[in-house]
Amino acid sequence: TRGLTDYFELAGYLLQAQRPGGGYEYAGARVRPRVRAPETWNLPVDLSMSFEFGFPRPPYDANSVTLELRPIIDKKLDRWRLTFNPVVGRALRGPDTGEGFDFEPGLKIAHLTRKGRLHLGIEYYGSTGPVTGFHRLDDQVHLLFPSADIFFNDLTMLNLGVGFGLTPAGERLILKSRLGWRF
């Protein structure tokens, strides 16, 4: 992630995945420009908007280019942080291009330790289907991830989580990690 101005940053992601019976492999890439509201607006929450362009590889997605519009609503209350992401996403190139936008909500509640270098929390990710009419509950994806954010310094953090699927449509168990580095 690189801050280009006080209110605009650009991030890039390289995605790795491990499929059953195989090793790690390159699963795609993402580019994420993000803008945020200035503090001078005196909003009751921190507010930003990301436009995330994905370039997944088969077999991880049949669509070769995707877009997520990712509003980020964040609030810190003492040693707690609440983050809500009412994400909508769609395929820009591939077989699902005509499907329109899907609703993919995300939520994180984290407790910050006294020194602030460890945040323990729970993350929720969902995929409910098209915004014009959600799928039946059994066809939706709902995942819970107990997680930890470890801040090595102000520029480097590691997010670790173990996800559990709550519906038949989602994965049953997912291990995730994300290394973040600001430069």
Side-chain angles (χ1 to χ4, degrees), residues 105-108 122-128 141-145 166:
L107 177 69
K108 182 174 185 174
I122 187 130
E123 301 174 28
Y124 161 80
Y125 300 98
S127 180
T128 61
V141 175
H142 297 279
L143 303 164
L144 281 180
F145 284 81
L166 304 176

Side-chain angles (χ1 to χ4, degrees), residues 43-172:
L43 298 174
V45 296
D46 293 330
L47 188 60
S48 64
M49 180 70 168
S50 292
F51 305 88
E52 194 163 300
F53 297 92
F55 306 94
R57 293 188 60 218
Y60 299 101
D61 196 325
N63 301 292
S64 59
V65 182
T66 61
L67 169 66
E68 288 182 355
L69 304 175
R70 184 178 287 273
I72 303 167
I73 304 161
D74 192 67
K75 180 70 175 175
K76 186 175 177 212
L77 301 166
D78 192 31
R79 291 187 9 224
W80 291 91
R81 180 170 299 276
L82 308 169
T83 306
F84 177 52
N85 303 111
V87 177
V88 291
R90 65 167 295 145
L92 295 179
R93 186 177 304 143
D96 297 332
T97 302
E99 299 293 318
F101 283 93
D102 284 343
F103 183 55
E104 302 169 0
L107 177 69
K108 182 174 185 174
I109 300 170
H111 183 265
L112 291 58
T113 61
R114 289 194 188 278
K115 296 193 183 206
R117 296 287 185 198
L118 177 65
H119 300 182
L120 299 175
I122 187 130
E123 301 174 28
Y124 161 80
Y125 300 98
S127 180
T128 61
V131 295
T132 56
F134 293 160
H135 294 310
R136 294 177 328 114
L137 183 60
D138 282 353
D139 295 328
Q140 297 178 15
V141 175
H142 297 279
L143 303 164
L144 281 180
F145 284 81
S147 66
D149 294 335
I150 304 162
F151 291 83
F152 299 107
N153 53 48
D154 291 341
L155 301 176
T156 310
M157 66 85 71
L158 177 64
N159 169 266
L160 300 170
V162 178
F164 302 96
L166 304 176
T167 59
E171 298 290 333
R172 304 307 325 143

Side-chain angles (χ1 to χ4, degrees), residues 18-34:
Q18 182 182 29
R19 296 180 351 141
Y24 288 96
E25 59 188 30
Y26 174 66
R30 292 182 177 214
V31 176
R32 186 204 68 191
R34 182 173 79 121

